[in-house]
Amino acid sequence: MLFRSKAPGRRISISLLSVMVGAALITIGPSAQPAVAASDIEQCFIDSINDARADAGVAALEWVEDLVAYTRQHSADMAAAGELVHSTSSEMSAALPSGWTAWAENIGWQSNPALPDCSTMFDSFMDSAGHRDNLMNPAFEFAVTGVYIDGAGQLWTTHVFFSNPDYSPNFEGTFADDDGSPFQADIEKIAAAGITSGCTPERFCPGQSVTRGQMAAFLNRALELPAAGDFGFVDAGGLFSDDINRVAAAGITSGCSADRYCPSELITRAQMAAFMTRALDLPPAPSAGFSDTVGHSFADEIDRLSAAGVTLGCGGGQFCPNDPVTRGQMAAFLVRGLDL
């Protein structure tokens, strides 16, 4: 695997001065492109970056669909050339929205056939000081990743990070990161119903997994549960404390143990089925026929959820009970369950 980083420095500062002087004369091409959703690997990169930034107490980067055509093309151009080549200052000046104050770029190439996610290359970026500095720089507000997979299955990627105090990305609807997502309509519906306000003011983070704390918040807002006192979970004193107490008082959860709720743990599809079945008071149902739920502790709840039309499984006659639920999938489950 090869990768390089380009951090803002003196040469970038000089180019910034020339761009700012001539900003009124520049036509920005990518901002005129239609909104483009992140591919699975691109979404994996931005989610991984923002998870790492959150762990370090750094604000999340906002995905910029306006520039994805540029980063994808740059990755394709590198593949065609067979080498890693950074964008020039003039190329970035033409691509970035006018008014930018700093930018940086990470590029990479994975020689083995591309994995279904970004983990190997992301870990390599994080293990390199220069790349990590770009990923974690608190001065940057926006990011875009462009991925290209060549005919041999090799992964080429371009990451651009920038700051711009006057910029608002173009996007459709409520959130900037769900345009083109198969769950976009569902996300819009739960936003309109007040069930979610996103993971940031302009992002929903559809590819991120749902935690048990977030699940409590989704259901509390969806069902408008009555206020409840402290249910006694020793680990539920944080952000979702009120939501957890309300869903527990309503009989939707009994926690992950006698006195714990485990709010930070990821919720599985089977656990989601149990939460949703209790929340919606779904009636008993015959077997849904999923080949991977036979003997599962939540098989009954999964069958009930399927009979209610809330889930069709994960494909191939399976439900994937132990897989985590993404926020995008959760939006769809809520829309179907609540008939929004």
Side-chain angles (χ1 to χ4, degrees), residues 307-328:
V310 178
T311 181
L312 298 175
C314 61
Q318 296 187 324
F319 182 74
C320 303
N322 299 320
D323 285 357
V325 179
T326 68
R327 289 170 57 86

Side-chain angles (χ1 to χ4, degrees), residues 55-79:
D55 289 343
V58 181
L61 293 167
E62 188 170 342
W63 169 266
V64 182
E65 293 167 344
D66 299 357
L67 296 178
V68 73
Y70 174 81
T71 52
R72 287 177 179 172
Q73 186 60 53
H74 184 76
S75 295
D77 290 343
M78 290 193 299

Side-chain angles (χ1 to χ4, degrees), residues 29-39 42-43 63-76 95-97 143-148 158-160 162 167 170 176 179:
S31 62
Q33 298 289 330
V36 180
S39 70
E42 290 164 347
Q43 188 68 54
W63 169 266
V64 182
E65 293 167 344
D66 299 357
L67 296 178
V68 73
Y70 174 81
T71 52
R72 287 177 179 172
Q73 186 60 53
H74 184 76
S75 295
L96 290 172
V144 62
T145 294
V147 165
Y148 180 80
T158 303
H159 304 253
V160 173
F162 70 97
Y167 175 65
N170 294 331
D179 289 0

